[in-house]
Amino acid sequence: MHASPEAAVRSLADYLVGQARQAVQQRGRFVWALAGGSSPRRLYELLASAEFRNRIDWAAGYFFFGDERYVPHTSPDSNYRLARTTLLEPLGIAADHVFPVDTALPPAAAAQAYTEALQAFFGPPPMQFDLVLLGLGDNAHTASLFPHTPVLNEQVAGAREVYLPEQQVYRITLTAPLINQANQVAFLVYGAEKAAAVRQVLRGENDPAQYPAQLVAPAQPAEWFLDQAAAAELATS
Ligand code: 6PG
């Protein structure tokens, strides 16, 4: 746990340098699934900064998305737009190394097309990311694995559409089996508003329907990059 969001972000950036270097040494490339939402913005900016940009062999990187809002790529809500503007374009990542969700298709077709893009990229199973970067919602969702949604029961590694009745929006998400096949999973969670969710996921009763981030259980246990505020309820539990 880190003293501040900035410290958590910096620690994760250092960790990612090591992960990318190891993947390139072992496999000649690194394949990440990027997180969306607002938390990763500072991380992406730091990775693209003069301090970090030369510490990773970015030309060996391939970038997918852990989830995507069902909005145009130009929308301020687009996870692809966030990554494109803060990380991918500043680093000059080639377009054929970036795999956005095609949100111009209907939701189910977009999810199917993404599953096919994953299969085409990875080849024979298992589809194995070197790293999946995740955030955590204050309701303990991660990626777009939201409480009490059918996708939580998906047993197949791939991408699926998710309908959120409260917000009346669709999302596209990687399924828990695909996330759990990853070599490594890292959560970046900071802010007091996340403290209860962090406690529920890490210390609460086992109830993935209510706390979907509990579904994330890769062979190599996930790393959590937390600030003190988000970790505040762990000490007392
Ligand atoms: C998304 C993310 C989602 C996010 C959490 C936390 O598309 O919103 O993938 O899982 O990580 O909702 O969001 P914040 O970082 O904005 O708090």
Side-chain angles (χ1 to χ4, degrees):
M1 167 251 288
H2 301 281
S4 66
E6 187 66 21
V9 163
R10 181 165 291 279
S11 174
L12 176 51
D14 284 333
Y15 172 80
L16 293 174
V17 167
Q19 285 292 315
R21 194 167 289 160
Q22 183 181 52
V24 171
Q25 282 168 355
Q26 291 174 359
R27 290 178 289 280
R29 70 183 191 184
F30 64 95
V31 186
W32 291 354
L34 297 175
S38 57
S39 298
R41 172 180 293 275
R42 186 70 196 93
L43 171 68
Y44 297 157
E45 291 169 345
L46 184 60
L47 288 171
S49 72
E51 182 182 351
F52 274 82
R53 63 185 302 124
N54 299 320
R55 295 180 57 190
I56 289 179
D57 176 8
W58 294 106
Y62 296 82
F63 303 89
F64 289 80
F65 293 83
D67 72 328
E68 183 57 277
R69 289 83 178 277
Y70 189 66
V71 296
H73 289 167
T74 52
S75 164
D77 292 336
S78 164
N79 288 339
Y80 166 65
R81 181 175 182 274
L82 169 72
R84 177 176 58 77
T85 56
T86 58
L87 180 71
L88 304 171
E89 272 177 359
L91 288 170
I93 305 295
D96 63 353
H97 282 224
V98 181
F99 300 84
V101 175
D102 182 356
T103 53
L105 295 169
Q112 180 57 33
Y114 210 53
T115 296
E116 288 166 5
L118 287 157
Q119 290 167 339
F121 178 84
F122 283 109
M127 299 190 281
Q128 189 165 48
F129 284 103
D130 293 298
L131 180 114
V132 175
L133 182 63
L134 295 171
L136 183 71
D138 59 10
N139 65 349
H141 83 262
T142 191
S144 285
L145 301 172
F146 277 79
H148 306 295
T149 53
V151 71
L152 302 187
N153 302 312
E154 181 58 61
Q155 299 302 307
V156 177
R160 295 292 182 275
E161 77 280 7
V162 185
Y163 182 66
L164 302 179
E166 296 82 17
Q167 299 96 317
Q168 295 187 331
V169 297
Y170 277 96
R171 291 196 174 197
I172 309 298
T173 189
L174 301 189
T175 62
L178 179 50
I179 293 170
N180 286 333
Q181 286 174 183
N183 276 312
Q184 189 62 54
V185 174
F187 282 90
L188 174 62
V189 188
Y190 53 79
E193 72 279 9
K194 304 292 177 76
V198 167
R199 173 181 45 79
Q200 287 156 350
V201 170
L202 293 178
R203 300 279 198 281
E205 62 177 310
N206 183 35
D207 185 1
Q210 187 63 45
Y211 312 127
Q214 289 182 342
L215 291 173
V216 176
Q220 175 69 26
E223 297 282 347
W224 288 73
F225 294 83
L226 303 168
D227 73 337
Q228 277 174 340
E233 295 188 19
L234 289 181
T236 56
S237 60

